[in-house]
Amino acid sequence: DGGITQSPKYLFRKEGQNVTLSCEQNLNHDAMYWYRQDPGQGLRLIYYSQIVNDFQKGDIAEGYSVSREKKESFPLTVTSAQKNPTAFYLCASSPQGAITEAFFGQGTRLTVV
Amino acid sequence: RKEVEQDPGPFNVPEGATVAFNCTYSNSASQSFFWYRQDCRKEPKLLMSVYSSGNEDGRFTAQLNRASQYISLLIRDSKLSDSATYLCVVNMYVAYKYIFGTGTRLKVLA
């Protein structure tokens, strides 16, 4: 089945640690996105990539990093510089940038302990 | 002013009722419009794209008003299973990103 797979579903991190969230898609989509959602708030864009080996900062990129070495994969690293990382992280992809609809993975819920 | 604004609700309606949500957007250059549904602690799922001529999918109807810069979603004959948060999404494909509203929460009551 085609889709977007995020792993892990739940992740616990100690303060000061970096963690990497996985996002893989087999939809052959060019564009991929990372969003963060906090309780009662809308989705905020962290990073996006329109094509392999290229990515752009979104609205809240500080404390995060990404790579896009393969079309299928867009991992997100939450670094220790991110002061409030506890949130629900959503990865999405779309075939033609933001012209067409986006499809989401099931999300990763990150908690700092 | 927020780029995309929605009434957060909650809208509490009885089963069988008709309910409508509006969403306003600030940038007249916005090109594509969508409604997503998000259940609690789940990912958003596409409900409908919104076309200039309006479109219908079963009990759901979406409209776009470019002059007043808003989109709407109408749900007829509400079901308990329609209870969710409905997200309005617009884009400026020049900017290659989607702008999400904070969502309108709907509760359908038995």
Side-chain angles (χ1 to χ4, degrees):
Chain A
D1 287 337
I4 302 176
T5 302
Q6 287 187 243
S7 61
K9 190 172 182 180
Y10 298 97
L11 185 58
F12 297 89
R13 189 194 94 172
K14 292 182 179 179
E15 286 193 27
Q17 283 183 335
N18 292 355
V19 290
T20 297
L21 283 57
S22 171
C23 178
E24 303 278 332
Q25 55 101 357
N26 60 4
L27 300 168
N28 200 34
H29 287 173
D30 286 317
M32 297 187 75
Y33 307 82
W34 273 106
Y35 291 91
R36 167 182 174 142
Q37 187 175 36
D38 294 283
Q41 297 191 30
L43 279 68
R44 293 185 290 168
L45 182 64
I46 304 172
Y47 269 96
Y48 64 100
S49 168
Q50 297 297 311
I51 197 169
V52 175
N53 292 322
D54 184 56
F55 49 82
Q56 305 296 328
K57 290 182 179 180
D59 302 315
I60 55 165
E62 185 175 351
Y64 300 97
S65 65
V66 294
S67 62
R68 187 83 187 275
E69 297 176 0
K70 298 187 298 182
K71 188 175 186 178
E72 303 81 18
S73 179
F74 192 40
L76 174 74
T77 296
V78 184
T79 75
S80 56
Q82 170 48 237
K83 298 305 179 189
N84 186 21
T86 295
F88 188 40
Y89 290 87
L90 288 157
C91 179
S93 71
S94 67
Q96 288 183 280
I99 299 174
T100 54
E101 63 269 23
F103 297 86
F104 285 85
Q106 291 184 311
T108 293
R109 200 163 294 276
L110 173 64
T111 303
V112 173
V113 296
Chain B
R1 182 183 174 185
K2 289 183 179 178
E3 293 179 281
V4 176
E5 291 199 70
Q6 294 183 253
D7 182 338
F11 284 60
N12 297 322
V13 302
E15 271 188 291
T18 296
V19 61
F21 312 134
N22 281 343
C23 164
T24 59
Y25 59 95
S26 61
N27 195 318
S28 60
S30 297
Q31 295 291 329
S32 299
F33 308 87
F34 310 95
W35 283 104
Y36 280 74
R37 170 193 171 126
Q38 186 174 27
D39 293 294
C40 188
R41 301 176 71 84
K42 299 284 190 180
E43 77 275 20
K45 293 185 178 178
L46 179 70
L47 181 65
M48 312 177 68
S49 299
V50 186
Y51 305 120
S52 296
S53 56
N55 47 303
E56 186 173 309
D57 183 3
R59 298 182 293 109
F60 300 86
T61 300
Q63 297 280 352
L64 167 63
N65 186 317
R66 285 192 183 273
S68 300
Q69 294 184 205
Y70 74 86
I71 65 172
S72 63
L73 177 68
L74 181 77
I75 305 175
R76 291 180 298 276
D77 189 22
S78 299
K79 312 290 185 191
L80 293 175
S81 57
D82 293 333
S83 297
T85 297
Y86 291 84
L87 305 176
C88 168
V89 185
V90 306
N91 90 316
M92 283 178 55
Y93 61 79
V94 174
Y96 289 101
K97 63 179 184 178
Y98 303 92
I99 311 296
F100 286 80
T102 53
T104 297
R105 191 171 172 199
L106 172 66
K107 292 183 180 180
V108 180
L109 308 171

